[in-house]
Amino acid sequence: MRLRALLETDALGLRLLGGEDELDRTVRGVMTTDLRDPSRYLSGGELVLTGLAWRRDAADAEPFVRILAGAGVAGLAAGEAELGAIPADLVEACLRHRLPLFAVHETVAFATITEHVVRQVSGERAGDLAAVVDRHRRLMTAGPAGGGPEVVLDLLTSDLDLRAWVLSPTGRQIAGAGEALPGTLGAALAGHHLAATRTGRRGPHRAAVAGRTYSLFPIRSTGRSAVPASRDVRESVLSDWLLAVEADASDWPAPRLDLLQGVTQLIAVERDRRDAARTVRRRLAQEVLELVQTGAAPAEIAARLRVAAPVLLPGLGAAPQWQVVVARVDWTDPAQSAAQPPAGAPAVAGDIASGPVAQALLEEILVDPAVSGPDSADRIAVAHTGEEAIALVPLPALTASPPDTGEEAGQDAGAPGDTAGDPADGGPAGQDPALHADALLASVREPLSAGLADDGRLTLGVSAAVHSAEGLRGALEEARHARRVAAARAGRVCAAGHHELASHVLLLPFVPDDVRRAFTARLLDPLRDYDRRHRAELIETLEAFLDSDGSWTRCAARLHLHVNTLRYRVGRIEQLTGRDLSRLEDKLDFFLALRMS
C-alpha cells in the first residue's frame, strides 16, 4: 500500500503535517516505538508510530528523525495524546529529511492503525489471510477475549500451510495451532534461538532438530520496556519470545518473509499486553518485600498479603501459603574476558541491570511448564531489589498434614521449616503443590544455558512453604541462603532448595575465597603434583575411597584395582599429606577440600 491511502481512510483520522511530495512511498509494514534509537528493529519501508515519550527537549527531534530517514522508513505518525500538538521541532526535522509526518488524533489507537496497515499489506501478499485477520480484529484489543496469538497461528496453518508455535525463552509453548509442540523440542528450539541471538545474527534463525527444519523469528517488545538498540543484547535475550515455524525460510521470497515479520508484530502486541498486566503483581510483590525487609509488624504484612491473595488466586476461599524464590543473573564483563566477542555481535554499552533481567526471567521460570498460554503466570508476583529478583508464590492451603503449631517442634508456626506435605520430607506428592528446586532446574537448564553462553550465570534459591506473615522474613533469608549454596556449584544454571540447608554444603559458600584456596592447596596440591609427575591417579583414588565410605573392597572394585594396589595408593596419599584416612577428622577434611576445589 502507499502512504496516500492512509490519508484517504477516514477511520484512521490522520492529518498530514509535511511531506506531501512523498506520499507515493510504499508501506511494507508498521512499527510502534518510543525508543530514542529504534534502528535495530527497522528494515525499511515501515510506517513508524510513536507516542513521543522519547522526546525530552527540542534537541531530540533531529537525531530521531535522522535515524528513521537513514533506515529508509516510509513515514512517521506521531500521537497527540502525550504532548497535545506535535512539536514544531519535529515538523521541521521531518521537512529537512523529506520524511512524511502525520499527526494521530488522541482518540485513535495505534492498534487501529497497525491493524489497518497489516491487513492491507498482507492482503497484497496473501489475500485470504488478511481477510481472516480482519474478522479477528479483537486480537489487537486488550484482554484475553481478543483470541490471542492462536488466531494468527491458525491463519498461517489454514492459509499458508505453515505450522507455527510461539515459545518463551525456556521453550514453553505460549500459543500454537493444532498439535502441541513436545516440551523437549520446544526447549531445543529455544536453545537454538538464544544461542543464535547471542552471536548477534539477525533472524530468522535456521534450526534442524529431530530430522526437521525450523525457522525461528524473534518477537521483540517495541513498547517502553523494550531494550534500546545501543544497549547490550544480554538485557533482552532471556526474555524475548520467539515464533517457531516448521519450514526453511532461507529460500523464501521477500514478500513471504515480510508477511511473517508482520505476524511477529501482531504477536508482539499480545506480549506487550501481558507485560502491562504484570504491573499490578509486580507492585504487590515490591510492597510486601519492602515491608518484610524493613521489619514491619506481621499484622501489617498480613494485611498486604490479604490484598495480594485475591489478585493472584481469584476465587480462593482460604488464605494461601507462600513460598519465596530468589534468582540472580551474573554476567562477566567482556572487557575482562579473554574470549573475544563473535564477529557481528552487538557492542556492549555500559553495565547490565541484572535485577530487571532476573525479574523477567523468574516470571517465566515459575510458570508451570505443563500449562500453556500467555496468562499462565498470573499467580506469580516478582519484585527486584539490587541484583536479585524475589518472587512471592502463593499456594493453595496444603492439606496433607496440619500446620505445625510450634508447641512440640519448638518453633513458631509458619517458620521456614514448615513443609506440609513436601515429598522430600515424606509428604504425599499428589497433595503437594509446592515448588521444588530440582524440578525448576530440570525445566529450564538446557535452553537458558545457551542464552547465558560463556559469560552468564543464573542461580536460584527456593524456600519452604510458610503459613503466615510471620514466616515470610525467614523464608526470604532461607531462599537467599539456598541461592548462595547454588552459586557455589559449577554450571551455568544452578538451583538449591530449603532441604539442602541442613547439609554441610550450607557452610561452603560462606567460606572466604582465600581460606578456601589455602585449605584445598594444603591438602590436595601435593597429590596433584604427584599425579602430574607419575600419573598415579591419587585424586581419583581419594574421591572413590571417600565415596565408598572407606570400604577397601568396594573401592577396589569400583576402580578395578587389586586391594593391595589400593592400599599402596592410600598409603602414598597419607605419606604426601601427613593425614590418616582411618581417622574421621581427616576423612572429613579431605571430603570438604574436594567439594571446595
Side-chain angles (χ1 to χ4, degrees):
M1 68 176 297
R2 299 187 184 277
L3 281 175
R4 191 178 305 278
L6 295 174
L7 285 175
E8 298 169 356
T9 306
D10 294 336
L12 300 182
L14 297 178
R15 188 173 75 259
L16 182 66
L17 300 181
E20 185 175 359
D21 295 336
E22 304 293 330
L23 291 180
D24 286 329
R25 291 187 181 185
T26 299
V27 179
R28 298 179 179 174
V30 63
M31 173 189 176
T32 302
T33 185
D34 277 319
L35 299 176
R36 297 169 69 85
D37 180 4
S39 57
R40 178 178 178 181
Y41 305 103
L42 297 172
S43 57
E46 298 93 342
L47 173 67
V48 175
L49 307 176
T50 180
L52 300 178
W54 50 268
R55 184 184 181 277
R56 298 173 184 172
D57 55 44
D60 292 335
E62 171 63 23
F64 180 79
V65 173
R66 184 171 61 248
I67 289 171
L68 298 187
V73 305
L76 174 64
E80 295 178 325
E82 182 80 10
L83 301 178
I86 305 303
D89 51 88
L90 180 60
V91 176
E92 294 169 1
C94 288
L95 289 174
R96 282 194 298 272
H97 291 275
R98 300 179 63 84
L99 182 65
L101 175 63
F102 302 88
V104 182
H105 194 270
E106 62 181 6
T107 60
V108 179
F110 282 177
T112 301
I113 302 174
T114 299
E115 181 187 10
H116 177 81
V117 172
V118 170
R119 184 173 69 247
Q120 295 300 320
V121 172
S122 300
E124 296 174 2
R125 300 165 182 162
D128 290 342
L129 178 61
V132 183
V133 170
D134 185 36
R135 292 198 299 271
H136 292 280
R137 62 190 306 158
R138 291 181 307 162
L139 174 67
M140 305 300 296
T141 65
E150 287 84 357
V151 173
V152 179
L153 301 186
D154 285 337
L155 307 180
L156 290 178
T157 301
S158 61
D159 289 32
L160 299 182
D161 196 26
L162 291 175
R163 299 177 65 209
W165 302 265
V166 178
L167 304 177
S168 77
T170 65
R172 179 179 61 88
Q173 179 174 316
I174 295 169
E179 184 179 354
L181 199 68
T184 53
L185 178 55
L189 292 176
H192 278 283
H193 170 72
L194 292 173
T197 302
R198 286 301 309 274
T199 67
R201 291 190 284 121
R202 298 186 66 176
H205 309 302
R206 184 180 182 275
V209 181
R212 297 187 178 183
T213 301
Y214 299 84
S215 296
L216 311 176
F217 294 79
I219 301 172
R220 298 190 176 97
S221 173
T222 57
R224 297 189 179 185
S225 62
V227 176
S230 59
R231 298 295 297 275
D232 194 328
V233 68
R234 294 177 295 182
E235 293 192 45
S236 62
V237 66
L238 298 178
S239 59
D240 284 343
W241 287 2
L242 67 138
L243 175 67
V245 180
E246 189 179 342
D248 188 350
S250 59
D251 58 353
W252 281 4
R256 175 162 284 209
L257 282 173
D258 289 346
L259 176 58
L260 265 293
Q261 295 292 355
V263 168
T264 64
Q265 291 177 5
L266 284 173
I267 298 172
V269 173
E270 176 66 26
R271 181 196 164 179
D272 292 341
R273 184 194 68 77
R274 179 213 61 168
D275 289 343
R278 286 182 170 176
T279 302
V280 173
R281 297 193 297 277
R282 287 177 171 179
R283 186 170 65 247
L284 286 172
Q286 195 72 44
E287 291 173 353
V288 173
L289 177 62
E290 290 175 359
L291 291 175
V292 170
Q293 293 192 128
T294 56
E300 187 176 358
I301 299 174
R304 188 66 62 183
L305 289 178
R306 284 194 295 272
V307 173
V311 175
L312 301 178
L313 288 178
L316 184 68
Q321 295 184 337
W322 301 87
Q323 274 184 285
V324 177
V325 181
V326 174
R328 177 169 173 145
V329 176
D330 292 292
W331 300 100
T332 302
D333 186 351
Q336 300 175 358
S337 175
Q340 296 298 318
V348 175
D351 296 331
I352 301 174
S354 296
V357 175
Q359 180 183 42
L361 190 55
L362 193 53
E363 286 172 333
E364 165 59 30
I365 290 174
L366 294 180
V367 176
D368 184 347
V371 177
S372 63
D375 296 320
S376 52
D378 285 349
R379 289 178 48 177
I380 299 160
V382 185
H384 70 83
T385 173
E387 300 301 305
E388 287 183 335
I390 300 170
L392 291 174
V393 182
L395 304 172
L398 302 177
T399 57
S401 60
D404 186 1
T405 63
E407 295 176 0
E408 296 180 2
Q411 61 184 26
D412 294 336
D418 296 344
T419 53
D422 189 338
D425 296 316
Q431 300 181 16
D432 177 30
L435 296 169
H436 297 278
D438 52 353
L440 291 179
L441 184 62
S443 65
V444 302
R445 178 163 43 194
E446 178 184 349
L448 292 184
S449 294
L452 293 163
D454 294 330
D455 56 354
R457 196 152 189 264
L458 167 67
T459 50
L460 299 162
V462 182
S463 80
V466 296
H467 303 286
S468 61
E470 289 90 338
L472 272 183
R473 184 176 180 84
L476 174 59
E477 291 305 314
E478 188 175 60
R480 282 175 166 162
H481 283 309
R483 193 206 63 78
R484 294 189 189 103
V485 169
R489 297 171 176 167
R492 289 292 164 196
V493 183
C494 297
H498 61 91
H499 61 280
E500 300 181 62
L501 300 187
S503 168
H504 63 277
V505 296
L506 171 63
L507 303 176
L508 301 186
F510 308 104
V511 178
D513 288 342
D514 54 345
V515 176
R516 292 161 69 106
R517 286 192 293 269
F519 182 74
T520 57
R522 185 166 59 252
L523 282 176
L524 302 182
D525 280 2
L527 307 183
R528 293 188 178 119
D529 292 342
Y530 192 88
D531 281 346
R532 279 194 294 269
R533 294 195 307 269
H534 302 284
R535 299 182 181 179
E537 300 180 350
L538 295 184
I539 291 290
E540 180 184 354
T541 301
L542 176 61
E543 290 176 335
F545 186 74
L546 295 175
D547 286 345
S548 302
D549 296 326
S551 169
W552 296 98
T553 54
R554 289 205 308 273
C555 183
R558 174 172 173 174
L559 296 174
H560 305 289
L561 298 175
H562 192 278
V563 172
N564 289 340
T565 304
L566 175 61
R567 290 184 183 278
Y568 172 81
R569 289 188 182 181
V570 170
R572 178 64 65 183
I573 292 171
E574 293 175 336
Q575 180 184 13
L576 292 171
T577 60
R579 298 298 185 104
D580 182 357
L581 278 170
S582 65
R583 299 179 67 249
L584 175 61
E585 293 86 348
D586 288 342
K587 286 181 183 177
L588 180 58
D589 284 347
F590 276 122
F591 176 79
L592 293 175
L594 289 169
R595 292 298 298 266
M596 289 191 292
S597 63

